[in-house]
Amino acid sequence: QQIGMLLSRLDNLSQVLVWSESEVVDAQQPCSIDIIELPRVNLSFRAKRVEKIDGSVEHRLYSNDNDGLYISTSTNARDLVEKLLGSIDHFIVLQNEDNDLFVLIP
């Protein structure tokens, strides 16, 4: 649900392609999300499991089009960018390993 809300800021969800490398036997079986494509806006993301220094694990969606950037899930980052952009609604915040923020507007 959170991924859908996030991606709807970039394009209509009916235009989003979600791919899994998991073998799926039936429709009720859970599977991983490995690649997300947004062909109309020419963007794609790949999922990556990242182990942080403190030992915690985080799942991130890295951009295939912007090397080293992943979708930020920080509400603080989103709030900061909303203050800068004002009334622009359709954007997502990307960040890098140094916690630098980038704005992606379709």
Side-chain angles (χ1 to χ4, degrees):
Q1 185 179 9
Q2 288 179 332
I3 292 175
M5 291 182 67
L6 184 75
L7 295 174
S8 69
R9 296 179 190 153
L10 298 176
D11 201 358
N12 188 311
L13 289 181
S14 66
Q15 302 297 318
V16 176
L17 303 172
V18 179
W19 301 96
S20 177
E21 294 175 354
S22 303
E23 185 174 329
V24 179
V25 178
D26 64 65
Q28 303 304 317
Q29 179 182 346
C31 63
S32 63
I33 294 175
D34 297 302
I35 298 173
I36 297 175
E37 295 178 337
L38 296 96
R40 288 195 326 174
V41 292
N42 201 25
L43 294 171
S44 64
F45 299 91
R46 72 186 179 295
K48 185 176 179 184
R49 182 179 183 269
V50 177
E51 189 168 332
K52 297 166 79 172
I53 294 172
D54 63 3
S56 63
V57 174
E58 187 173 272
H59 295 276
R60 297 177 179 167
L61 289 173
Y62 277 85
S63 172
N64 289 328
D65 308 293
N66 301 287
D67 195 36
L69 300 183
Y70 61 92
I71 296 176
S72 175
T73 56
S74 165
T75 55
N76 291 336
R78 173 111 184 136
D79 292 343
L80 176 67
V81 172
E82 281 179 344
K83 287 179 185 175
L84 293 172
L85 294 179
S87 63
I88 298 174
D89 291 329
H90 297 284
F91 70 89
I92 60 171
V93 180
L94 302 175
Q95 71 181 68
N96 62 14
E97 296 297 329
D98 296 328
N99 292 321
D100 297 324
L101 300 178
F102 302 82
V103 178
L104 180 62
I105 302 173

